[in-house]
Amino acid sequence: MSFAWAKPYEPQTGFTKWIDEKLPLPRLVYNAVGAGYPVPRNLNYMWNFGVLAGFCLMIQIVTGVILAMHYAANTEVAFATTEHIMRNVNSGWLMRYAHANGASFFFIVIYLHIFRGLFYSSYKAPREMIWLLGVVIFLLMMATAFMGYVLPWGQMSFWGAKVITGLFGAIPLVGESLQVWLVGGFAPDNAALNRFFSLHFLLPFVIAGVVILHIWALHIPGSSNPTGIEVKQESDTVPFHPYYTAKDGFGLGIFLLAFTFMVFFLPNMLGHPDNYIEANPLSTPALIVPEWYFLPFYAILRAFTDDLTIPFTGIVLIQAKLLGVIAMFGSILLWFFLPWLDKSPVRSGHYRPMFKKFFWFGFIPCMIALFIAGGAPAEQPYVLLSQIATAYYFLHFLVILPIVSQIEVPKPLPYSITESVLGSDDAAPGKTASSGAKGADDIGSLQPAE
């Protein structure tokens, strides 16, 4: 579909014409995020999180490269070099606090981005590939964050690495050999630290590559929107620039206010105090917990306390530890199947009354419970809380969502995006020119000035 305001890119100077002929990057940017890219006119601030996630990735790469210049991946000096960065390197404290808190803000943005996708069913056709690549990015982020948490070589770094790498030992037959191969020994040591540092440095660039694919996949069907209705006419869209560059810029300003406040005034609030103690394999912390963004999946891992056995025989089919590992990884991997589990013809949760109730009063409380249980000691009532929340988590995706998508009666959808915004649309069936005149005037006022 072509739009009257979407003028093709035209170089204005001899140099830009030469660049456009040899390497048309300005044309690519113009068509991707400029006045040549049509975007639904009804996007709300929940659609800011994609841009914020890209900004967070840039922060992590820049600060990470600077920190790597002063860090030594050796268990004898890793903790000391971390303190050296904080105390002696010019602005080293700022780089480290920005990197550490940047990871937390990155996950905050990504979790909100995912929840928006779940509520508005952004995984539905024709945007399945966008969703699948997003899940790949999330998995890469989790691996990168875990390895980065090990690098300071504090108490929680060492024991977190020992617990997580120990999960591979639960795999039947090859588990122990695989664990030794991954860690480079029988416990996390110099070999593991070197491997984690190398991968932690490399994976952000892999993430950046997948992000490019993610954006590329987005530009094929175009952005989704709060109604879930596809673009039908020119009045349904506005150019990305200047409308959404301004809106994203405002959101970025609010994000930076919160981020800089955290870095300068509460830099250690999201960290664990035990990680300011140098790693000691002979001293186990009272409570081993991962970073806050891993807590839901850690709760799922710990929810399985009994082996799966054949009734009345005592024969163990699957050990509890292996059940927890399968459930933890399965809780993310099942997201790959969401486009086919949810068969509702309506995308937006606003028009799905039954789905909306299960989402806000079932799934969201379930995730809150998993966050709480994951950060609590492995004792009652938190174990029971994690077991109930884990059961509901899988029921939501594997049972409730497919059934609700089949039986619920959605609310009537507006004819177009324009009608959802203005309440009238000339192109809607049964509409007269007079009834849509005001809407047409409002649409014209949104077009860029000539």
Side-chain angles (χ1 to χ4, degrees):
M1 183 179 293
S2 61
F3 301 99
W5 50 257
K7 298 178 180 179
Y9 175 73
E10 296 179 2
Q12 300 299 317
T13 66
F15 176 74
T16 54
K17 289 178 182 178
W18 182 81
I19 286 289
D20 191 56
E21 291 175 359
K22 307 302 180 184
L23 187 65
L25 284 177
R27 179 182 297 273
L28 178 65
V29 173
Y30 179 87
N31 292 330
V33 293
Y37 178 51
V39 184
R41 63 184 296 172
N42 62 335
L43 300 189
N44 56 40
Y45 280 103
M46 289 301 290
W47 267 258
N48 274 50
F49 295 117
V51 171
L52 294 180
F55 184 78
C56 288
L57 178 60
M58 183 181 69
I59 290 176
Q60 293 306 96
I61 290 177
V62 171
T63 57
V65 169
I66 294 172
L67 291 172
M69 297 175 184
H70 304 278
Y71 175 79
N74 186 299
T75 55
E76 298 294 327
V77 295
F79 187 82
T81 57
T82 304
E83 291 301 307
H84 165 71
I85 290 170
M86 293 290 294
R87 298 170 186 271
N88 302 323
V89 175
N90 291 333
S91 300
W93 62 272
L94 178 60
M95 292 297 104
R96 189 189 173 207
Y97 282 151
H99 194 70
N101 287 283
S104 289
F105 273 76
F106 199 175
F107 273 95
I108 290 172
V109 168
I110 288 297
Y111 275 127
L112 291 172
H113 196 51
I114 290 171
F115 289 151
R116 188 268 289 173
L118 292 174
F119 182 74
Y120 291 105
S121 300
S122 298
Y123 46 79
K124 286 181 176 290
R127 298 178 179 83
E128 305 100 312
M129 185 54 65
I130 305 171
W131 174 260
L132 298 179
L133 288 170
V135 178
V136 171
I137 292 171
F138 183 69
L139 289 170
L140 289 171
M141 282 180 58
M142 294 187 73
T144 306
F146 163 68
M147 292 179 215
Y149 192 51
V150 175
L151 300 186
W153 207 241
Q155 273 287 74
M156 207 53 62
S157 297
F158 173 83
W159 289 99
K162 188 171 179 61
V163 169
I164 298 302
T165 57
L167 299 179
F168 292 94
I171 301 174
L173 302 178
V174 299
E176 292 185 7
S177 300
L178 180 61
Q179 180 183 348
V180 171
W181 178 74
L182 288 171
V183 178
F186 294 99
D189 207 339
N190 209 46
L193 187 61
N194 272 278
R195 295 174 186 193
F196 288 171
F197 174 65
S198 299
L199 291 172
H200 181 70
F201 191 91
L202 171 66
L203 285 180
F205 297 99
V206 177
I207 293 173
V210 182
V211 166
I212 292 172
L213 295 177
H214 188 65
I215 297 172
W216 187 6
L218 171 66
H219 279 70
I220 295 172
S223 299
S224 61
N225 64 87
T227 64
I229 303 170
E230 295 298 333
V231 171
K232 290 185 173 71
Q233 56 204 11
E234 182 176 345
S235 61
D236 287 342
T237 65
V238 293
F240 188 90
H241 178 78
Y243 299 108
Y244 286 109
T245 50
K247 193 169 187 175
D248 288 340
F250 177 77
L252 180 60
I254 299 299
F255 170 86
L256 285 174
L257 285 174
F259 179 66
T260 52
F261 180 85
M262 183 67 73
V263 169
F264 287 107
F265 296 102
L266 299 169
N268 297 306
M269 189 182 81
L270 299 176
H272 198 288
D274 280 3
N275 224 32
Y276 287 90
I277 304 171
E278 188 170 3
N280 182 0
L282 302 179
S283 176
T284 307
L287 177 62
I288 301 174
V289 292
E291 287 283 70
W292 70 266
Y293 36 79
F294 293 136
L295 292 180
F297 308 103
Y298 191 56
I300 292 173
L301 171 70
R302 298 194 308 182
F304 294 84
T305 55
D306 296 317
D307 299 333
L308 179 62
T309 61
I310 298 176
F312 310 112
T313 65
I315 300 174
V316 176
L317 294 176
I318 306 178
Q319 293 182 340
K321 184 178 180 180
L322 180 57
L323 284 172
V325 172
I326 294 171
M328 182 180 69
F329 286 107
S331 64
I332 302 175
L333 294 178
L334 67 80
W335 292 355
F336 282 107
F337 302 96
L338 276 182
W340 300 276
L341 289 172
D342 184 358
K343 299 183 182 299
S344 173
V346 176
R347 295 189 183 95
S348 175
H350 287 308
Y351 301 95
R352 302 176 60 185
M354 191 180 296
F355 166 84
K356 185 191 292 188
K357 290 183 175 66
F358 277 109
F359 184 86
W360 289 113
F361 301 109
F363 179 69
I364 295 300
C366 165
M367 291 302 299
I368 294 172
L370 288 174
F371 269 107
I372 294 172
E379 59 188 31
Q380 298 297 355
Y382 301 110
V383 173
L384 179 61
L385 179 64
S386 67
Q387 290 171 338
I388 295 172
T390 298
Y392 186 87
Y393 179 93
F394 284 99
L395 280 173
H396 178 83
F397 288 112
L398 297 175
V399 179
I400 295 173
L401 189 61
I403 292 176
V404 166
S405 67
Q406 296 279 3
I407 67 173
E408 75 174 340
V409 179
K411 293 180 180 178
L413 295 173
Y415 170 73
S416 66
I417 293 172
T418 301
E419 185 175 301
S420 71
V421 175
L422 302 176
S424 61
D425 188 351
D426 283 345
K431 294 287 184 179
T432 64
S434 59
S435 66
K438 182 180 183 301
D441 291 340
D442 290 339
I443 293 163
S445 68
L446 282 173
Q447 306 310 316
E450 294 294 337

